[in-house]
Amino acid sequence: MKILIIEDEQAVLESILTYFTEEGNICEYASNYLMASEKIALYNYDCILLDLGLPDGEGLNLLEELKKLKKKDGVLIISARHSLDDKLAGLDLGADDYLVKPFHLSELKARVSAIVRRKNYDGHNVIVFNEINVDVFAMQTSVNEQTITLTRKEFDLLVYFLSNKGKVVTKNAMAEHLWGDEMDIANDFDFIYTHIKNLRKKLMEAGAKDYLHSVYGIGYKFGTS
Amino acid sequence: MKLSSRYNQVNIFTSLIALIITGVIYYVVIHFILTDKLDKDLAVEENEINQYVKTYQKLPLPASYIDQQVHYKEVKEINQAREFSYTTYYNAKEQEIEPGRSLITTIALNDKKYVVTITKSRVESEDLVRIILFITLGITCFLLISLILINRFVLNSLWKPFYTLLNQMKAYQVSRMGKINRVPTKIDEFNELNDSAIAMAASVQQDYKELKSFTDNASHEMMTPLAVINSKLDSLLQTEPFTKSQGALLEDIYQAVGRLSRLNQSLLLLAKIENNLIPDLQDIDMKELLESKIRQFQELFEKDGLQLIHQLESCQLRMSKYLVDILMNNLFSNAVRHNHKGGLIEVRLQKDSLQLINTGRDAGLEGQLFDRFSKSAPSEGLGLGLAISKQICALYGFTIAYTYQNEKHFFTVHF
């Protein structure tokens, strides 16, 4: 997928770039309004990561420009402003999602992947990973064409892992993804263990390889290695 | 004690004393003057008798008028000094004993010696003194009564601007951005008080605003470095392999950063609620919301083996969906977090109140439960949950209260 990252904070920009750059992905960046405006006009992207607080302009105006250009790029707003107004204004102007800083890169990736999936496969939303097939729209999972039944949380976890395959995903990020950061149980990781244990068991019982690896107690990694 | 009644007391007390003293002095002086006049009259009479004796060489007839009597008494030896004295005499006309003033003097006539007693009635002068006393008393009473009335009515209306201002100051709440209005008055002191109160309110408000925007700005500014740390940590994590101890270090850092960003977000949220920056009011069906919250927390209840009893009546509220969500999350999280294994959670929703009752590890909590950063020592929370809850309640005019009964913690929100 082709992604444009509009972010003025160099350090954050670099991290996102490193995290997103992998085979099949093309990442470009703009660190100010002008640059972003040019890139938006010139190219098409699967998803644009838009930081609202740019030094030379209001990020929300870029959304209006996109609208004027009648472009269908997916937009994810990332903002340090935890403001409901901004969120509503952004979503009103056609943004697909809104993520508040600070965020986990895995969460960002998962959201971007979701946006790109929604944009690209209208209604037919399937993630394929080796023998695992996940239909996000119908919420169905199959291993080697054999359907398995997952709970809602297990399904969410699997989609999350598939969006971040090959990456170490922390328990914090998973907890926040599954329960939201407002539930304030982010320190309680017993739930994560249970869900991961069950997910792994179900996948392996259906004949999938063991893709889930625990990483030093910090988190998990989903991948072939 | 009110200033006016204290003033009244002092005023009336001193007036009373002053009036009594002047009354006494008045009485004594008048009495003295009248007695002096009587004495002069008596002396004139004595003089007349002397003249008469000198001219006619005989004693005048012992006259006895209504208010004057003269007696003669022959004595051998004169050992009587001339003196005035108070006496009584018999008033033949009125047939009663009346007070009098007499002058006892001596007179010599043809080798004979007489003691002359001239007595004059004191009734008139006594009457005069009495009338004067009554008038004085009357004036005293009149003065006292008018003083009391003046104090009661005039002082009250005089102090009115003060009380108006005082009520304004009592009702003043800096968080509401209230204002103190000028109370129209011509009294300099009150005007001065008024100015000072207004100036104070303005400076308090200014400070409060600065403090608030400081919290807001500080939290915002912290978000960026936090975002950097977070993203760098995530990036660092991808550069495995690590040793086990490095993993443990990373985990600790993650925990701390996570806590810091939650803390920061909570502070920002508090600042926002205080500034009433969350306007998205909508009708909330509390029953529906609570049912979905119970579903959402089901997993947590099960994990600790908590038993949930709920009793939900229909209830409609008009508030921000975002805030009501936070409020419910806080209350439910607390009920779970401070519960013991196999405990109990009770949710009671009524038309005008919501009650969350939970068993708990600690005995009744005391102190500033709803204050920022107040939390029990082993709590993993930030200590902001209840402060936020309270702010949310305050924003919509709800009240939130905590009680401890029968080893259960009760959190009650009255809508």
Side-chain angles (χ1 to χ4, degrees):
Chain A
M1 52 186 173
K2 200 173 169 194
I3 297 165
L4 174 65
I5 304 157
I6 306 169
E7 165 69 66
D8 64 316
E9 186 63 43
Q10 198 61 30
V12 178
L13 177 65
E14 275 169 19
S15 297
I16 299 176
L17 277 172
T18 332
Y19 199 86
F20 275 72
T21 307
E22 55 185 16
E23 13 88 56
N25 281 358
I26 302 159
C27 294
E28 291 186 5
Y29 69 90
S31 48
N32 56 50
Y33 189 93
L34 214 67
M35 227 169 122
S37 179
E38 267 173 34
K39 294 219 165 183
I40 285 174
L42 283 174
Y43 310 105
N44 288 323
Y45 297 95
D46 293 314
C47 190
I48 298 170
L49 308 186
L50 173 61
D51 184 0
L52 289 186
L54 293 172
D56 56 343
E58 174 56 50
L60 283 174
N61 294 343
L62 280 172
L63 280 172
E64 282 174 2
E65 279 189 34
L66 263 179
K67 222 176 182 179
K68 265 186 224 151
L69 292 165
K70 297 203 165 66
K71 294 221 172 185
K72 293 262 156 75
D73 304 17
V75 177
L76 171 69
I77 295 175
I78 42 177
S79 172
R81 282 183 271 177
H82 197 292
S83 149
L84 211 62
D85 286 346
D86 274 359
K87 186 172 176 174
L88 294 176
L91 296 180
D92 246 18
L93 282 168
D96 298 83
D97 207 347
Y98 189 98
L99 191 59
V100 177
K101 279 186 192 172
F103 47 77
H104 296 283
L105 288 176
S106 49
E107 180 68 28
L108 184 69
K109 187 81 191 298
R111 300 234 189 160
V112 170
S113 304
I115 290 172
V116 173
R117 275 202 309 272
R118 273 207 299 275
K119 294 270 163 192
N120 292 356
Y121 313 92
D122 300 301
H124 186 66
N125 210 333
V126 180
I127 311 168
V128 182
F129 180 77
N130 296 349
E131 64 272 34
I132 301 171
N133 237 304
V134 178
D135 187 334
V136 182
F137 197 71
M139 279 189 64
Q140 273 181 355
T141 317
S142 60
V143 178
N144 295 324
E145 318 272 304
Q146 180 198 342
T147 309
I148 57 170
T149 319
L150 299 179
T151 64
R152 175 72 203 243
K153 293 244 153 62
E154 287 160 7
F155 183 82
D156 284 349
L157 259 182
L158 180 59
V159 173
Y160 197 70
F161 278 128
L162 287 172
S163 304
N164 288 288
K165 50 182 182 280
K167 306 279 187 198
V168 180
V169 178
T170 61
K171 288 179 293 184
N172 285 46
M174 281 185 265
E176 274 177 36
H177 180 72
L178 290 187
W179 284 281
D181 55 347
E182 263 117 37
M183 243 170 97
D184 208 7
I185 52 153
N187 284 330
D188 198 340
F189 298 128
D190 293 357
F191 299 102
I192 307 283
Y193 295 130
T194 321
H195 288 303
I196 288 188
K197 206 176 75 197
N198 291 341
L199 174 64
R200 184 192 217 157
K201 206 171 119 197
K202 283 180 184 174
L203 286 175
M204 285 173 72
E205 271 174 3
K209 284 186 204 141
D210 185 9
Y211 295 120
L212 267 169
H213 312 285
S214 169
V215 181
Y216 314 113
I218 308 168
Y220 293 89
K221 186 164 152 183
F222 190 91
T224 36
S225 62
Chain B
M1 180 184 261
K2 281 195 169 184
L3 180 66
S4 56
S5 44
R6 175 81 189 128
Y7 175 77
N8 251 348
Q9 268 186 3
V10 173
N11 205 0
I12 287 170
F13 185 69
T14 48
S15 318
L16 199 64
I17 289 198
L19 284 168
I20 286 172
I21 290 173
T22 47
V24 168
I25 291 171
Y26 206 44
Y27 178 80
V28 169
V29 168
I30 297 267
H31 195 265
F32 175 78
I33 289 170
L34 286 175
T35 308
D36 191 52
K37 183 171 181 299
L38 263 181
D39 290 357
K40 274 183 187 148
D41 286 352
L42 287 170
V44 167
E45 199 61 38
E46 182 195 19
N47 204 23
E48 274 176 15
I49 291 171
N50 279 336
Q51 294 287 331
Y52 190 92
V53 169
K54 224 179 257 174
T55 319
Y56 301 104
Q57 290 299 312
K58 66 170 185 178
L59 287 171
L61 286 173
S64 176
Y65 307 103
I66 293 166
D67 58 345
Q68 182 179 320
Q69 289 176 339
V70 182
H71 289 284
Y72 305 103
K73 196 175 158 198
E74 199 182 326
V75 289
K76 294 208 169 115
E77 209 67 40
I78 292 175
N79 49 9
Q80 176 73 50
R82 183 175 183 269
E83 71 165 352
F84 293 96
S85 67
Y86 293 107
T87 59
T88 54
Y89 76 104
Y90 182 73
N91 185 330
K93 194 186 172 200
E94 301 276 329
Q95 298 192 332
E96 61 184 16
I97 309 285
E98 283 184 356
R101 175 95 176 154
S102 50
L103 169 63
I104 300 169
T105 184
T106 50
I107 197 164
L109 176 69
N110 310 330
D111 305 333
K112 283 181 183 169
K113 293 174 181 81
Y114 298 94
V115 170
V116 184
T117 312
I118 310 163
T119 309
K120 262 182 174 288
S121 169
R122 250 191 320 139
V123 168
E124 259 174 59
S125 63
E126 288 282 303
D127 281 351
L128 196 60
V129 167
R130 202 167 294 138
I131 285 167
I132 287 169
L133 189 71
F134 281 138
I135 290 174
T136 318
L137 272 179
I139 289 174
T140 310
C141 288
F142 177 73
L143 250 172
L144 284 181
I145 288 170
S146 48
L147 260 178
I148 291 171
L149 290 181
I150 284 173
N151 287 346
R152 173 152 303 172
F153 296 108
V154 178
L155 270 185
N156 273 359
S157 73
L158 267 180
W159 280 96
K160 207 167 191 163
F162 176 80
Y163 286 111
T164 317
L165 190 65
L166 190 68
N167 283 334
Q168 281 196 56
M169 286 167 84
K170 273 187 199 159
Y172 183 76
Q173 269 182 310
V174 70
S175 55
R176 291 267 161 90
M177 288 290 149
K179 260 178 87 175
I180 288 186
N181 297 316
R182 174 162 287 285
V183 181
T185 171
K186 285 178 184 158
I187 312 289
D188 286 347
E189 283 88 342
F190 291 153
N191 270 329
E192 217 168 295
L193 183 67
N194 218 327
D195 291 341
S196 314
I198 290 171
M200 197 177 76
S203 87
V204 164
Q205 223 156 62
Q206 185 60 32
D207 288 355
Y208 183 71
K209 251 188 232 163
E210 270 166 27
L211 198 68
K212 265 204 308 196
S213 64
F214 174 77
T215 319
D216 203 29
N217 292 342
S219 304
H220 262 145
E221 290 306 315
M222 264 194 274
M223 279 303 180
T224 309
L226 267 172
V228 174
I229 297 175
N230 230 330
S231 63
K232 291 292 167 195
L233 264 176
D234 281 347
S235 305
L236 177 65
L237 205 58
Q238 310 309 328
T239 63
E240 34 167 1
F242 302 120
T243 64
K244 204 168 171 126
S245 62
Q246 279 172 325
L249 286 175
L250 274 171
E251 160 128 41
D252 286 348
I253 299 173
Y254 261 112
Q255 294 290 355
V257 172
R259 198 182 161 80
L260 192 58
S261 43
R262 268 180 293 136
L263 187 66
N264 215 13
Q265 268 158 15
S266 299
L267 284 174
L268 265 175
L269 179 65
L270 262 175
K272 275 214 194 75
I273 301 170
E274 275 173 5
N275 291 322
N276 198 3
L277 287 178
I278 303 172
D280 86 303
L281 282 176
Q282 42 185 290
D283 290 314
I284 309 280
D285 184 343
M286 282 301 282
K287 193 177 172 195
E288 203 182 296
L289 180 82
L290 278 170
E291 279 165 353
S292 84
K293 277 286 158 230
I294 289 170
R295 273 197 301 279
Q296 196 184 334
F297 276 81
Q298 197 61 45
E299 216 175 331
L300 281 116
F301 299 150
E302 280 165 10
K303 184 192 140 226
D304 287 342
L306 302 175
Q307 191 198 345
L308 180 88
I309 303 170
H310 57 91
Q311 189 185 330
L312 308 176
E313 288 173 27
S314 81
C315 170
Q316 295 282 335
L317 288 181
R318 190 161 174 76
M319 60 189 292
S320 152
K321 174 83 177 68
Y322 177 61
L323 291 183
V324 75
D325 237 29
I326 292 173
L327 180 62
M328 292 305 126
N329 284 341
N330 282 342
L331 292 177
F332 271 87
S333 306
N334 274 344
V336 172
R337 195 188 300 136
H338 299 289
N339 224 319
H340 55 68
K341 287 234 184 299
L344 183 79
I345 293 180
E346 232 180 299
V347 185
R348 286 188 205 152
L349 176 70
Q350 284 173 329
K351 203 164 176 282
D352 57 351
S353 71
L354 167 71
Q355 218 169 22
L356 256 100
I357 305 159
N358 65 282
T359 50
R361 291 184 295 253
D362 322 306
L365 304 168
E366 281 185 17
Q368 314 300 316
L369 210 61
F370 294 99
D371 279 3
R372 290 171 195 196
F373 303 114
S374 88
K375 56 171 188 171
S376 58
S379 168
E380 287 163 347
L382 298 170
L384 282 174
L386 281 176
I388 290 174
S389 304
K390 194 185 172 192
Q391 278 296 345
I392 294 175
C393 287
L395 182 66
Y396 296 107
F398 306 160
T399 53
I400 184 165
Y402 166 79
T403 46
Y404 184 72
Q405 284 168 17
N406 304 329
E407 302 186 345
K408 281 179 192 159
H409 304 271
F410 288 69
F411 283 92
T412 314
V413 181
H414 285 283
F415 308 131

